[in-house]
Amino acid sequence: MDKMKVLIVDDDEIIAGLAKIILDNMFDNEYIFKIKTAANGEEGYKLSLDFKPDLVLTDIQMPGKNGIEMVRAIRQHSPEIKTIYMSGEWSKFQTPLQEEHTMHQAYFLKKPFAISELKQLLCEA
């Protein structure tokens, strides 16, 4: 079985690291994910060009290119990319997130989130 490639993008190293640990140990230690991390939207976009992830797990609010802008740029090359957006503050991004959900079936996690919530979205994505 091919490993699902996941790109985790978050300017908070602790959250990115925890998300990676969760994915690495999610399904009875069967390593079904190949994971790369990036610290911001610009780095995530550049990394996606070579890595070609199946799914992007991204924070929205980051310095420079935010998560929504980054995913839109990635979609220029990979229109079918699956996305899970994370944020503690949804109100500023409600309209573009609704568009993402409608047009691309994007998923959302409200920070802080439970491991079970992340697992459920990964199974759905």
Side-chain angles (χ1 to χ4, degrees):
M1 177 174 142
D2 287 339
K3 291 183 178 186
M4 179 183 214
K5 293 191 223 175
V6 179
L7 175 60
I8 301 169
V9 185
D10 200 315
D11 58 325
D12 184 329
E13 289 181 31
I14 293 171
I15 291 177
L18 287 173
K20 184 177 183 320
I21 290 168
I22 291 167
L23 293 177
D24 277 341
N25 296 288
M26 184 165 284
F27 296 103
D28 298 323
N29 290 325
E30 293 177 28
Y31 292 94
I32 62 169
F33 299 109
K34 183 174 183 180
I35 304 164
K36 300 249 182 190
T37 60
N40 59 56
E42 190 61 40
E43 184 182 320
Y45 171 73
K46 289 177 182 173
L47 188 57
S48 76
L49 295 174
D50 289 328
F51 183 53
K52 299 186 183 350
D54 301 301
L55 178 126
V56 175
L57 175 63
T58 185
D59 187 19
I60 297 173
Q61 288 186 277
M62 296 180 284
K65 189 177 289 210
N66 71 39
I68 295 169
E69 294 166 336
M70 176 195 64
V71 169
R72 287 180 177 163
I74 292 171
R75 283 204 179 105
Q76 298 297 313
H77 306 281
S78 302
E80 299 302 316
I81 192 79
K82 296 176 183 174
T83 309
I84 300 174
Y85 290 101
M86 303 179 289
S87 181
E89 186 179 329
W90 292 104
S91 58
K92 291 170 59 173
F93 303 100
Q94 196 167 12
T95 299
L97 288 173
Q98 185 58 45
E99 290 171 7
E100 282 288 305
H101 180 69
T102 302
M103 294 174 63
H104 303 288
Q105 297 181 334
Y107 296 90
F108 316 106
L109 274 174
K110 183 171 172 76
K111 289 180 180 178
F113 55 85
I115 293 172
S116 60
E117 292 174 294
L118 177 57
K119 280 185 176 183
Q120 179 181 349
L121 288 181
L122 286 167
C123 289
E124 291 175 18

